[in-house]
Amino acid sequence: MIHKIKIINHNIIMMMEVYIIYAILIIEVILMIVMLYIITKSLPLFIKKEKELKEKEVDIKLILNEINSRISFRDEKIAELLVRVDALEERYKRMIEGVRGEFERKIEVRSEREKEGLERGLATSILTLLKDRPLTSTEIQRRVGRSREHVARFLKSLYERGLVERDETKRPYVYKISERGIKLIEETS
């Protein structure tokens, strides 16, 4: 009897295992049905969302193309403006160089005039000094307040123009006013 009980227990256990397996299969089938239901209900939503995303992607591509087109247009305008700025800078440089050149020429003319005026003044001073009496270059230099070299060069120039005469037998030379120098002094007075 124990043996029969064991067999019955064994059969019951096997039947329970079969029922459990059937129950698990039924649960799995129910879960599959639920999943199919969820998939069939959500698939149109996924399709709709995918369609919306594709439309947005097309819109984004159109917007990006428009932005790129505008950027290219702006780049072209910037390049044109840079060319214009370069041309204006070149014109400005030439204009400044022209003005600077004209200014420098005016300064040169002015300084030449001032130099001529100073030289005329120095010539008049020296000739007036020599009108009173003959002098050496050192004596003249002290009285006019210029450097020895300047006075020596200026006296040489006056000598070459025939406005003064020099006694070359003495060292340093002794300078005296010439007839031509006297006439020049009288004309300027």
Side-chain angles (χ1 to χ4, degrees), residues 76-92:
E76 290 173 10
K77 289 295 181 185
I78 288 170
E80 287 176 17
L81 289 172
L82 287 173
V83 168
R84 284 182 174 175
V85 166
D86 288 345
L88 286 173
E89 283 178 347
E90 191 60 37
R91 273 182 51 199
Y92 176 74

Side-chain angles (χ1 to χ4, degrees), residues 93-111 113:
K93 284 179 185 175
R94 282 185 296 205
M95 190 172 72
I96 291 298
E97 287 172 5
V99 168
R100 183 179 293 134
E102 182 65 28
F103 181 71
E104 288 172 355
R105 281 189 294 280
K106 285 182 180 178
I107 287 175
E108 286 175 17
V109 167
R110 183 176 173 192
S111 68
R113 286 181 187 157

Side-chain angles (χ1 to χ4, degrees), residues 164-178:
V164 296
E165 298 170 356
R166 68 182 175 196
D167 183 357
E168 295 179 1
T169 60
K170 296 180 182 176
R171 288 289 183 167
Y173 299 139
V174 176
Y175 291 89
K176 69 177 187 175
I177 193 165
S178 67

Side-chain angles (χ1 to χ4, degrees), residues 1-13:
M1 179 124 177
I2 292 185
H3 183 38
K4 277 188 179 183
I5 292 178
K6 280 184 181 179
I7 292 177
I8 292 174
N9 279 342
H10 180 65
N11 283 342
I12 291 173
I13 291 173

